[in-house]
Amino acid sequence: MDAGESGMPAGRGPVAKAAELSVILPSFNEAANIPILVGLLDTALAGIAWEAIVVDDNSPDGTTEVARTIALSDPRVRVIRRIGRRGLSGACVEGILASSAPYVAVMDADLQHDETMLPKMLAELRASDTDLVVASRKVEGGTAGVGLSTVRAWASDIANGLAQKLLNVTLKDPMSGFFMVRREKAEALAPKLSPQGFKILLDLVSSAGGTLKIKELPFTFRERQHGESKLDSLVTLDYFGLLLAKYFGNVVSVRFLMFGLVGASGLIVHLAALRVFLVSGMEFNFGQTAASFVAMTSNFFLNNQLTYRDRRLHGVRMLIGLLTFYAVCSVGVLANVGVANLVYADPAYWWFAGTAGAIMGAVWNYAASSALTWRKT
């Protein structure tokens, strides 16, 4: 029998069974967890054709190298190393688009998600017309367990409520990061998803506009075993940026809204500094200029931590970035001071003059800082 009769292309050996399920594992500094998790997946998914796609954001702890070492002996493990790109949502999207399996699951690499849920989720998709299965802490039988601190659990409840009210999301746990979806559904929605942020499920469901058939299954959120959480308090602003972007129909990018939220905080800093300078007897023009630089400094550090966290500057580069930020925003400052000086006629309206001037430089500051201060390298 020749190659044509056997049904295999000439020069090709037996083809391994294609994966039915791809498990997307976004990671950053999870070198200790990846080997454990692959072993757990091997046990939990016995009898299922699966693959794990580790999407690593260039972890300094060697997560990529650890995953590749496993892949050398286990072809079910694949690795995507991202350089110059950060963020859980973007990593999940890249992992999903790299899959050819009919079903894809997204779960954390930190061992807090229960891998034994995966067969149950897959069975639900196989047996019904459900498009998306969510492992939920909020349905009967589910719990946050000891995986979330009291503060984080409280913040999660508030975030869930906002998502449900602002975006009309009917999920009981839109903040869950553990779900399984039909790949073609996720791929169709991919152009609408934000590469920034940490709440890919919320983005996916809100972008679908009620077209996905969803099932929530209860699960218990486990305690992290190794390393520490990658989420800091500034993720709250990031989340609000995603909510606003989706609420306004993605007319503006999440990054611009982040920049705007930081700018709003800078406005408060600006007005507080201006008031101090005026009370101290400083002339308005000088006070407005000095307050602008105080606000710019505050904005730079917040933007570096949040808005451009995927391009975050460190060390000497951060100092150079600050100076560049001052330079590119100087045009905005000139417009700021000029407009405010025109408006400022009665000292009682110092706040209105300050606000008018600050708004004038906002769009220029965003465009210039994106292109120069935090430019892609």
Side-chain angles (χ1 to χ4, degrees), residues 23 45 51 56 99 119 127 140 160-161 191 207 242 245 247 249 273 305 342:
V23 182
L45 296 173
E51 67 176 356
D56 185 58
S99 169
E140 185 177 355
N160 280 332
S207 295
L242 176 62
Y247 183 76
Q305 287 295 114
L342 289 175

Side-chain angles (χ1 to χ4, degrees), residues 259 296 325 328-333 358 361-370:
F259 195 89
M296 278 197 297
F325 190 69
V328 298
C329 293
S330 60
V331 175
V333 171
V363 175
W364 164 261
N365 290 348
Y366 172 73
S369 60
S370 292

Side-chain angles (χ1 to χ4, degrees), residues 91-360:
C92 292
V93 172
E94 289 193 40
I96 290 171
L97 295 180
S99 169
S100 296
Y103 308 107
V104 290
V106 170
M107 65 185 298
D108 290 347
D110 58 11
L111 307 180
Q112 290 188 286
H113 291 160
D114 183 1
E115 71 288 340
T116 64
M117 289 291 301
L118 292 171
K120 303 173 187 176
M121 299 162 81
L122 180 59
E124 188 69 38
L125 290 176
R126 283 172 172 170
S128 66
D129 59 353
T130 300
D131 299 312
L132 171 67
V133 179
V134 178
S136 175
R137 301 160 295 182
K138 303 297 181 180
V139 296
E140 185 177 355
T143 175
V146 294
L148 286 181
S149 66
T150 302
V151 174
R152 284 187 63 189
W154 173 76
S156 179
D157 288 341
I158 292 178
N160 280 332
L162 287 172
Q164 291 161 352
K165 292 178 180 178
L166 290 179
L167 303 181
N168 294 318
V169 172
T170 57
L171 277 174
K172 294 184 181 297
D173 193 7
M175 299 293 285
S176 175
F178 189 14
F179 61 90
M180 189 181 295
V181 63
R182 296 182 185 274
R183 182 189 51 77
E184 73 272 11
K185 295 291 185 179
E187 192 159 1
L189 291 168
K192 299 180 181 180
L193 303 179
S194 171
Q196 288 182 269
F198 293 84
K199 297 304 171 187
I200 179 67
L201 175 63
L202 173 61
D203 197 358
L204 191 70
V205 173
S206 61
S207 295
T211 62
L212 293 176
K213 296 180 180 178
I214 304 171
K215 175 76 173 182
E216 291 187 83
L217 299 178
F219 97 111
T220 298
F221 195 62
R222 298 189 300 213
E223 185 176 8
R224 169 178 271 273
Q225 299 298 312
H226 302 280
E228 57 186 31
S229 174
K230 310 304 182 296
L231 304 183
D232 53 45
S233 58
L234 290 176
V235 170
T236 303
L237 284 178
D238 185 278
Y239 174 75
F240 283 128
L242 176 62
L243 281 182
L244 290 174
K246 293 301 175 183
Y247 183 76
F248 291 112
N250 292 316
V251 174
V252 292
S253 69
V254 174
R255 195 186 297 276
F256 180 77
L257 286 170
M258 289 296 94
F259 195 89
L261 286 172
V262 170
S265 71
L267 176 59
I268 296 173
V269 173
H270 177 96
L271 294 177
L274 177 60
R275 185 59 177 168
V276 170
F277 293 144
L278 292 179
V279 169
S280 66
M282 186 178 292
E283 182 182 352
F284 178 78
N285 282 355
F286 290 112
Q288 178 74 350
T289 302
S292 295
F293 278 92
V294 171
M296 278 197 297
T297 303
S298 172
N299 286 357
F300 170 80
F301 286 106
L302 279 176
N303 279 316
N304 193 52
Q305 287 295 114
L306 177 65
T307 310
Y308 298 95
R309 64 192 307 142
D310 56 329
R311 309 178 196 174
R312 191 173 291 169
L313 304 175
H314 300 277
V316 174
R317 290 188 62 218
M318 184 168 65
L319 177 59
I320 294 173
L322 177 60
L323 296 177
T324 303
F325 190 69
Y326 285 152
V328 298
C329 293
S330 60
V331 175
V333 171
L334 291 176
N336 180 335
V337 175
V339 171
N341 193 49
L342 289 175
V343 175
Y344 184 75
D346 186 338
Y349 295 101
W350 63 271
W351 57 271
F352 180 70
T355 301
I359 291 175
M360 283 300 297

Side-chain angles (χ1 to χ4, degrees), residues 77-97:
V77 177
R78 293 200 281 142
V79 183
I80 297 174
R81 179 187 178 193
R82 304 203 309 165
I83 297 178
R85 306 189 302 285
R86 289 282 299 275
L88 186 144
S89 292
C92 292
V93 172
E94 289 193 40
I96 290 171
L97 295 180

